[in-house]
Amino acid sequence: MQPVVDFLQYSAESVADALVSLAAATAKSSSNDPSFIIGAPYGFSFETFPNGYGHYALELLLESDLNALLSPVSYVDRGLGGVGGVMGPVDSMTIRGKQWIIIDDTRTGVERDPATGEFGRIKGINVDDVYEVQQRNFAQALAYGLGLVWADPQSEGWLHDADQWKHLGNLGAIYAQQIKAKETCIEQDYSVPVMTVVVDETSRFYVQPGGRAEGTFLQKGRDAAMRSGVSLRFHLLRDVIEDIAPPTPVYLFLNAFHLTETDRVRLHSRLAREQACAIWLYAPGYIAEKADAENIGATTGMDVRIFKAPFVAGSTYLLSGQFMRAEEKFGDENSWNPAFYIEPEENTDFLANYVNAKEKGSVAILTLPEGWTSVYIAEPGFNPALLCEILQLLEQHFYISPAEGIYYDTVSARDGILALHACQAGKRSINFGYYCDVVDLFDNSIGWQQKDMVLLPMQTGETRLFLHQPTRAGLK
């Protein structure tokens, strides 16, 4: 299938080359005015568009004159209570001083009546629900330092509403205030993210077009990370290999299916240097000079084998934790080919076994002699509960404690900003991780001083946005 791989790579690189040339010509004609935004809708790495869509050569654009990328909110799970995740590795742009701009094209329920020409709201769409979704998208952009525009993509009058513009104006004022404050403050250690979500473009070309892999590992993996309750970064695999991405305690490799031996050695060296943990999904490093389960073993440090025939997945968790019970079943109960399993070894601890092959491990953890930790999830069915259990085993900080209930809310947290979007009603125990002063940015009459935890009732689809900073006493 190498000709297919070559064509898919050509499709991506040819689109990127055209964008590089167009951006260079635009920059030259604008006399390199730094105020000009030269942007393109590109880099939709987490979405399930066809592999020949042309979106998978972002690496070629990162050093070009293109200084902004634009993407809608994810087309998956974007409604009330949903994640509304980022479409691409946004930090690969922002770390280079470039912009990533979110296009919020949420349907507002405002439309023009073709018979009368008047604008009004569609029955059945609650305006408060629309505002909560818009606030979720806004809070995500603010937390990750992204741009944001509101759009009416079909020019149907979705934004033709005075009350809505008042609401959006309030969000704009919050954004301007926080960006100005961020530019004048010194970054503190309390804002260091816990996990880097890593996506690989080249591996897209080796995945069967139209198969389940993109949705299972890219979209569900991204959304599980955003529901895990920890602070995140989003980077291309190349950024991690080349030490461009800043260190984090945990790296979640969603689709690192293609790794050369050189790349694998560099990854292992970085993980050992940082004493970090790598969480690998499905087939990490499977494809090198050839496709072989031994390559997965070399990547994860475990004894990994391949099932000789298509295998129906689905696993049983072996431990008892706060997010999953012992003997709890999870996973993707579909036939997979190839499918992989882990052989027992002295230093490898199984976290889960396959339901249909109880002696074969589907999730395992191993601490390597070099000091880094490897967690391999061969089970294709990845979910927030499993990720949270692993992060808890690694003693990482969760912003939402499971003490009051397990909700898997969408969390966006960076640089003293904490945003929550509730997937269901209930009380949340918010753990900031240090004593701080907290202000509700949507309602500045609400706040707490010198608190490390607060109890917060939330309704389904509600969005809360907090600014937390070291207490004034701590700053003196």
Side-chain angles (χ1 to χ4, degrees):
M1 301 299 289
Q2 190 62 46
V4 176
V5 173
D6 292 342
F7 174 76
L8 293 174
Q9 186 166 357
Y10 158 78
S11 299
E13 291 181 355
S14 61
V15 172
D17 287 344
L19 289 173
V20 168
S21 299
L22 183 59
T26 306
K28 183 177 180 180
S29 66
S30 64
S31 302
N32 291 310
D33 187 331
S35 66
F36 275 51
I37 295 177
I38 305 173
Y42 194 83
F44 300 176
S45 305
F46 294 122
E47 299 299 297
T48 58
F49 297 118
N51 294 349
Y53 204 58
H55 269 271
Y56 312 118
L58 176 57
E59 291 177 18
L60 301 182
L61 301 178
L62 294 176
E63 305 303 330
S64 72
D65 291 301
L66 199 73
N67 57 21
L69 294 182
L70 304 91
S71 67
V73 176
S74 175
Y75 291 133
V76 175
D77 198 22
R78 57 160 31 209
L80 191 71
V83 174
V86 293
M87 276 196 172
V90 294
D91 289 296
S92 289
M93 285 291 284
T94 58
I95 199 171
R96 292 170 168 85
K98 298 175 182 286
Q99 291 182 295
W100 194 297
I101 301 172
I102 300 296
I103 302 171
D104 186 348
D105 55 355
T106 300
R107 187 180 184 187
T108 64
V110 177
E111 287 187 1
R112 180 178 178 273
D113 187 326
T116 65
E118 298 294 327
F119 286 89
R121 292 199 170 273
I122 301 172
K123 291 183 179 180
I125 297 182
N126 188 315
V127 63
D128 291 331
D129 292 346
V130 172
Y131 289 172
E132 294 292 353
V133 171
Q134 289 176 330
Q135 288 180 168
R136 178 202 64 199
N137 301 336
F138 164 82
Q140 187 180 107
L142 180 64
Y144 294 121
L146 312 178
L148 179 71
V149 297
W150 294 286
D152 175 6
Q154 304 301 324
S155 301
E156 294 180 351
W158 291 3
L159 302 176
H160 192 82
D161 180 74
D163 289 338
Q164 183 171 205
W165 277 108
K166 182 178 179 181
H167 162 69
L168 300 181
N170 291 335
L171 298 184
I174 294 171
Y175 187 95
Q177 180 186 40
Q178 293 306 312
I179 292 298
K180 182 178 180 180
K182 187 176 180 180
E183 291 172 349
T184 59
C185 75
I186 300 174
E187 187 172 334
Q188 303 291 327
D189 288 340
Y190 64 84
S191 64
V192 175
V194 162
M195 184 165 64
T196 300
V197 180
V198 186
V199 62
D200 181 38
E201 295 179 308
T202 303
S203 293
R204 290 290 297 254
F205 310 139
Y206 293 87
V207 176
Q208 179 181 347
R212 296 192 303 272
E214 293 100 328
T216 300
F217 304 113
L218 297 178
Q219 287 185 335
K220 291 183 179 179
R222 172 203 60 195
D223 290 356
M226 297 190 74
R227 288 188 182 276
S228 67
V230 304
S231 180
L232 305 172
R233 296 186 66 87
F234 298 90
H235 277 279
L236 290 170
L237 174 63
R238 187 56 48 186
D239 285 351
V240 179
I241 292 174
E242 296 181 356
D243 287 336
I244 295 171
T248 51
V250 183
Y251 295 87
L252 174 61
F253 295 94
L254 299 182
N255 69 329
F257 306 149
H258 177 268
L259 286 175
T260 65
E261 183 177 356
T262 300
D263 287 344
R264 184 169 62 238
V265 169
R266 294 179 70 181
L267 271 179
H268 287 180
S269 176
R270 173 167 184 167
L271 293 166
R273 186 171 64 251
E274 297 175 9
Q275 302 289 278
C277 174
I279 303 175
W280 316 96
L281 300 192
Y282 183 52
Y286 176 55
I287 301 163
E289 286 70 24
K290 62 178 181 177
D292 198 315
E294 289 185 359
N295 297 332
I296 302 178
T299 301
T300 63
M302 303 178 193
D303 185 358
V304 178
R305 311 285 178 88
I306 187 169
F307 285 100
K308 294 181 180 180
F311 179 75
V312 176
S315 295
T316 301
Y317 193 67
L318 300 178
L319 307 181
S320 185
Q322 287 187 293
F323 298 93
M324 298 183 73
R325 304 180 307 277
E327 304 302 319
E328 181 176 337
K329 293 183 179 180
F330 68 98
D332 187 306
E333 298 178 358
N334 288 295
S335 178
W336 285 81
N337 186 23
F340 309 97
Y341 63 91
I342 309 156
E343 281 283 284
E345 290 184 291
E346 182 179 355
N347 296 320
T348 302
D349 296 319
F350 283 4
L351 302 182
N353 289 336
Y354 284 113
V355 173
N356 295 321
K358 295 185 183 301
E359 75 284 2
K360 301 185 186 304
S362 60
V363 183
I365 185 169
L366 170 68
T367 299
L368 281 299
E370 295 79 11
W372 63 279
T373 302
S374 178
V375 178
Y376 174 40
I377 304 173
E379 163 63 53
F382 185 61
N383 60 32
L386 178 61
L387 180 57
C388 287
E389 281 294 342
I390 293 169
L391 291 171
Q392 189 171 64
L393 287 173
L394 298 173
E395 300 181 338
Q396 298 303 316
H397 171 69
F398 295 90
Y399 279 102
I400 303 179
S401 167
E404 299 296 327
I406 301 173
Y407 302 106
Y408 305 116
D409 297 324
T410 303
V411 172
S412 300
R414 289 268 283 274
D415 301 332
I417 297 290
L418 173 60
L420 311 175
H421 184 70
C423 68
Q424 58 181 293
K427 291 182 179 179
R428 273 69 172 169
S429 179
I430 310 300
N431 181 5
F432 295 100
Y434 71 109
Y435 283 95
C436 56
D437 294 336
V438 183
V439 176
D440 187 324
L441 292 178
F442 289 150
D443 184 354
N444 56 22
S445 67
I446 300 174
W448 303 269
Q449 290 187 341
Q450 299 187 30
K451 289 282 190 179
D452 64 338
M453 298 185 69
V454 296
L455 191 62
L456 194 69
M458 295 186 71
Q459 299 300 315
T460 301
E462 183 179 359
T463 302
R464 302 295 295 269
L465 178 63
F466 300 107
L467 173 67
H468 57 95
Q469 297 175 318
T471 61
R472 294 182 178 86
L475 290 175
K476 291 182 180 178

